[in-house]
Amino acid sequence: MARPLTQSDLIFPPQSLNFSDTLHSLKRSALSVTNRLSSITADSEFVAAVGQAYSLPLIANERCGSWYIPPEKKAGGVYFKSTDGHMNQWSFNLRRLNLQLLDLLGGGAEGCVIVDSTRRGKSMPDALSKTVPIWCCVLNRAILPDSGPHELFTPPSAVSASEHAQIERRIDGFVEDFLNICKSNIPGLQKKLRKPLRPLWVTQASTLPSSPPKVDSFHSIVLCTASRRVHGGEVSEAGYIQGAADDQEAWAHGLTPSVFWANHSRIMQANEEDLPELITTLVQQQEGPKAVPVLIAPTSNLYVSSSDGVDIEPFDAIISCTPKPLTTTRVTNVQSKKYIHLPLASGKLGSRDLRAQLSRVPPFIEDVIASAIASQNSATAPKILICDPTGKDLCIGVALAILCLYTGHDGNMSSSRTPASQIHKTLVKQRLTWISISTALNPSRETLKSVNAFLMPDPSARNRDQPTSQEYEASKLVLVDDAGRVITSPAEQWSGENGEDGGDKALEIPTSVPEAHPERQANLTSISAATTNPNSALPPDLTPSKPSPEPNLHLPVTDIPYDYAAPSLSTTTITPRSSVQLSSPPSIQPSHTPPPDSSRPSSAQPSSSLVPSHARSLFIQLRSAPMWRFERRLRSKLPSQPSGTVKGTARFTSYSVDENNLNTLLYSEEGTFVTDSGVEFEVRRRYVYRLEPQHARTGFREERIGVYFSPTQDQAEVQTKDLFVEMGPLTRAGNAYQAQNKERHLCGQDLYNASWKFGTGMMGSEGDQRVREDEDVWWEVTYDVKRPKKDYVSVTRYTRG
């Protein structure tokens, strides 16, 4: 007999009374990854049925639509933004023309099915109810003006009569905007679009035709909303989620449509708790798609591509917008391919730094075109490849700049640059249309801003961060073996020891080369360093055709990650020499003997103040080491500017104006800047260090060290106006010596305050310049930089390499 109920059986435990937590848990369970993927699978079956019912190819409205179409059934992709159809924000997007659909129609298709979805609350996304109908109407009126009035069609169930009328009033303005940038393309578009576009709407509540309808008067643009409409919450839908594929970053754990469909059975059979780990494994195992260069029409020679696995063999010139230079396993590519590396990170940092890097592109393009004209194959335009890690952003920005500067309306490339007076926003939009038609790609907003600032600079702005030089630094591809190990690198510029910089020598090649490639050993010695020395052994096709001045950028060695993280441009006035004497420089006597003056320093001064000759001792020690290794730490106080670390090498070599003048040295550094967020930049800097003899204003000998910006080509030597910082008196502080800059340097709006520290091994008595122990041979320089939008401290420590 059953036990009778008691009071305790009727009272729920206290934890069960928290209904809010219970409902929240149920909602999270309903929105699980398993339920999302199950909903996507169910909706994909409906999408497939729509494509079969209308017998039309399936087109995904990226990114959501791609989840509902298996890759083998996907005929293409478009990008219609829902925001262009939002209430009172209706627009025709000139950056996303989606004209690739006309290629499909011109190829014989009677129409297409565009697939998209939306989350709970709407019957269809605004992209399908308004953005695409606006697009269809604008193209009909612009391309086929003589075939009718071409009314605007919108779904009455989603768009009210009032909203329809407001959109209708804007259509003529959209048509005018489209013709302003695409008028020259209309004849070609008319060959593809022979009859009007007519939008039709299909949802899971619609009745599909039993057989494919045949329509001769228009192209059917079937707008398919993949998900069925959910009126209540997901908890009541037995695990079904409307618009499950939307906002994939929030739930997918890195899963992509291609990985999902390639491993569909395995993923759907996994437990919910095992899915994140399984997805991570599958994503890591997936091989990325091979890069396929895309031609930008109407040009015949300009291509864009991702840099991952790209085949550079068919191209005469390559521009890589990548953190590191491209690699190749063929020596002939290193010697023959014209190549320039624009060291750019991905994302907004790279887009911002593109503004400075773009100034190196025009002289490179002009050199490529001039070389092609001078060659015997001048009838064939040189094939130019532009690549970046994604193939979708930075390379598009560089291509846009080239199209604006060197192509005519017919797409033919010329060596003469478009005059600045003829470059305007309409021209930029027209050339951007070429890219969107050819590649269906658009640069990001930040990249486009950098391109616009380069092509149409503000004459009233003091943009000191943008180089004005019309020369470029010759780059070289990095030679690697089949295992990916670097054999030589264009960054290696010196190989000498004991003060010999080896600037005129070819790169030293490791003797251990894989035996599988014995022929490579014989060819390696012909590869020379891509240095700034015009006397270096460069292949004829990479030797600059004219001198390469280095602009006075007014950027200190510490200011590398913010405004100009790029290699300095070539110069012909500062040249590394093949040998440097290590003896003391000639003694410099004052022009007259100063009268006695008690205010001047004397031997009776405190011992903490070094005698003037120690500045020369320090100067000699700086150039005595073949190489200095450095590590620089930048700490920014502003969140908008990155902090990070730079590691690299620096050298002091003789100055080319007078090879016997040992009082002037060229400082050259190369390194890698790694931000705290993990972004890498390749950086280079050059400065001139000079041991100054006497001060005319003081009338007595006072040797000091000054740091100057690299002079431009038309300067015979460094000028007083190029002085960056000047080292003040050296004083002893414990086991080191220290100095402050004599005056803070104001560069534009930047204010630099510098200080130095030197190990005791950097000093010596008069006539005694012997190198001390390594632990005593070091030096540090600190810069404290202030400006309205810049506030950081840089500390660089050098040790003998």
Side-chain angles (χ1 to χ4, degrees), residues 296 302-304 318-322 340 342 344 350 353-355 357-362 364-365 384-388 392-406 413 432 435 443 447-448 450-451 454-455:
I296 299 177
L302 191 62
Y303 294 77
V304 293
I318 303 101
I319 302 174
S320 66
C321 311
T322 52
I340 185 171
L342 309 182
L344 297 170
D353 292 334
L354 178 63
R355 184 177 308 187
Q357 291 293 327
L358 279 173
S359 63
R360 303 173 59 210
V361 174
F364 175 78
I365 294 297
I384 302 172
L385 173 68
I386 312 170
C387 60
D388 68 27
K392 299 179 180 180
D393 187 16
L394 297 174
C395 65
I396 301 298
V398 174
L400 177 60
I402 294 174
L403 291 173
C404 292
L405 290 174
Y406 295 102
M413 191 170 290
L432 187 58
I435 297 175
T447 296
L448 190 58
S450 292
V451 175
F454 170 73
L455 294 175

Side-chain angles (χ1 to χ4, degrees), residues 40-202:
I40 291 172
T41 301
D43 292 338
S44 69
E45 296 175 359
F46 168 70
V47 170
V50 172
Q52 185 175 3
Y54 285 91
S55 188
L56 296 176
L58 297 176
I59 304 294
N61 191 26
E62 308 290 359
R63 295 169 298 161
C64 182
S66 291
W67 287 91
Y68 300 98
I69 309 174
E72 65 273 11
K73 296 181 180 180
K74 181 179 176 180
V78 291
Y79 200 130
F80 290 103
K81 297 178 63 177
S82 286
T83 54
D84 293 332
H86 286 178
M87 178 68 74
N88 296 322
Q89 296 182 19
W90 313 288
S91 66
F92 180 85
N93 199 320
L94 295 174
R95 292 188 57 204
R96 301 193 182 277
L97 295 175
N98 293 298
L99 296 180
Q100 64 270 24
L101 273 184
L102 301 189
D103 294 330
L104 181 68
L105 302 178
E110 290 298 320
C112 65
V113 178
I114 299 179
V115 180
D116 201 356
S117 186
T118 187
R119 287 180 284 184
R120 178 168 54 90
K122 290 185 176 182
S123 60
M124 63 182 67
D126 288 341
L128 299 188
S129 62
K130 287 172 279 189
T131 305
V132 177
I134 291 172
W135 179 82
C136 291
C137 185
V138 170
L139 263 60
N140 288 340
R141 295 187 183 185
I143 301 175
L144 304 173
D146 300 328
S147 60
H150 301 299
E151 63 178 301
L152 172 68
F153 294 96
T154 57
S157 61
V159 181
S160 67
S162 174
E163 185 177 8
H164 178 96
Q166 293 178 69
I167 298 174
E168 174 72 36
R169 287 197 291 268
R170 299 192 182 190
I171 295 297
D172 288 340
F174 297 155
V175 173
E176 183 178 356
D177 293 340
F178 176 73
L179 290 176
N180 283 339
I181 65 171
C182 293
K183 190 171 183 179
S184 60
N185 301 101
I186 295 300
L189 297 177
Q190 288 175 340
K191 296 178 181 179
K192 300 176 182 179
L193 186 66
R194 300 181 180 275
K195 51 186 178 181
L197 305 170
R198 173 67 163 84
L200 306 171
W201 293 270
V202 173

Side-chain angles (χ1 to χ4, degrees), residues 9-56:
D9 294 326
L10 299 177
I11 298 177
F12 294 100
Q15 58 267 28
S16 66
L17 297 178
N18 193 338
F19 293 108
S20 176
D21 290 344
T22 303
L23 291 176
H24 182 68
S25 178
L26 290 173
K27 183 176 181 180
R28 289 185 59 187
S29 176
L31 294 176
S32 66
V33 177
T34 299
N35 285 349
R36 286 185 180 274
L37 298 178
S38 298
S39 301
I40 291 172
T41 301
D43 292 338
S44 69
E45 296 175 359
F46 168 70
V47 170
V50 172
Q52 185 175 3
Y54 285 91
S55 188
L56 296 176

Side-chain angles (χ1 to χ4, degrees), residues 542-615:
L542 287 180
T543 303
S545 58
K546 49 186 177 181
S548 306
E550 179 170 328
N552 185 352
L553 299 178
H554 278 246
L555 294 174
V557 292
T558 59
D559 196 7
I560 50 184
Y562 303 143
D563 301 310
Y564 190 71
S568 299
L569 303 181
S570 301
T571 177
T572 57
T573 61
I574 300 178
T575 306
R577 294 292 175 179
S578 59
S579 63
V580 176
Q581 302 297 326
L582 297 182
S583 59
S584 301
S587 178
I588 303 175
Q589 302 295 334
S591 57
H592 64 280
T593 303
D597 191 334
S598 60
S599 64
R600 296 169 185 165
S602 67
S603 59
Q605 287 180 311
S607 59
S608 61
S609 179
L610 296 179
V611 293
S613 62
H614 280 151

Side-chain angles (χ1 to χ4, degrees), residues 366-582:
E366 292 169 8
D367 183 32
V368 170
I369 298 176
S371 297
I373 294 176
S375 67
Q376 297 179 353
N377 299 324
S378 58
T380 304
K383 297 181 68 174
I384 302 172
L385 173 68
I386 312 170
C387 60
D388 68 27
T390 66
K392 299 179 180 180
D393 187 16
L394 297 174
C395 65
I396 301 298
V398 174
L400 177 60
I402 294 174
L403 291 173
C404 292
L405 290 174
Y406 295 102
T407 58
H409 292 293
D410 56 359
N412 292 328
M413 191 170 290
S414 170
S415 60
S416 58
R417 192 178 305 188
T418 303
S421 59
Q422 298 181 16
I423 298 180
H424 42 75
K425 289 186 176 180
T426 300
L427 176 67
V428 176
K429 290 179 180 178
Q430 290 172 348
R431 298 300 186 262
L432 187 58
T433 301
W434 291 3
I435 297 175
S436 63
I437 291 176
S438 303
T439 68
L441 296 174
N442 277 278
S444 65
R445 186 176 298 274
E446 288 297 322
T447 296
L448 190 58
K449 286 169 60 178
S450 292
V451 175
N452 286 335
F454 170 73
L455 294 175
M456 299 170 289
D458 184 357
S460 63
R462 297 179 61 185
N463 188 6
R464 69 175 184 83
D465 297 328
Q466 179 172 321
T468 57
S469 172
Q470 301 303 312
E471 298 301 324
Y472 73 97
E473 181 182 16
S475 304
K476 281 194 177 182
L477 299 162
V478 177
L479 185 66
V480 298
D481 59 23
D482 291 342
R485 292 170 297 192
V486 176
I487 297 177
T488 186
S489 168
E492 297 178 66
Q493 297 185 14
W494 292 272
S495 59
E497 297 181 356
N498 300 323
E500 295 184 359
D501 64 348
D504 296 329
K505 299 178 181 179
L507 288 179
E508 292 185 352
I509 307 301
T511 56
S512 58
V513 179
E515 296 181 359
H517 301 279
E519 72 283 356
R520 186 173 295 163
Q521 181 70 53
N523 293 331
L524 291 181
T525 55
S526 64
I527 305 174
S528 301
T531 70
T532 57
N533 183 359
N535 299 321
S536 299
L538 292 174
D541 60 341
L542 287 180
T543 303
S545 58
K546 49 186 177 181
S548 306
E550 179 170 328
N552 185 352
L553 299 178
H554 278 246
L555 294 174
V557 292
T558 59
D559 196 7
I560 50 184
Y562 303 143
D563 301 310
Y564 190 71
S568 299
L569 303 181
S570 301
T571 177
T572 57
T573 61
I574 300 178
T575 306
R577 294 292 175 179
S578 59
S579 63
V580 176
Q581 302 297 326
L582 297 182

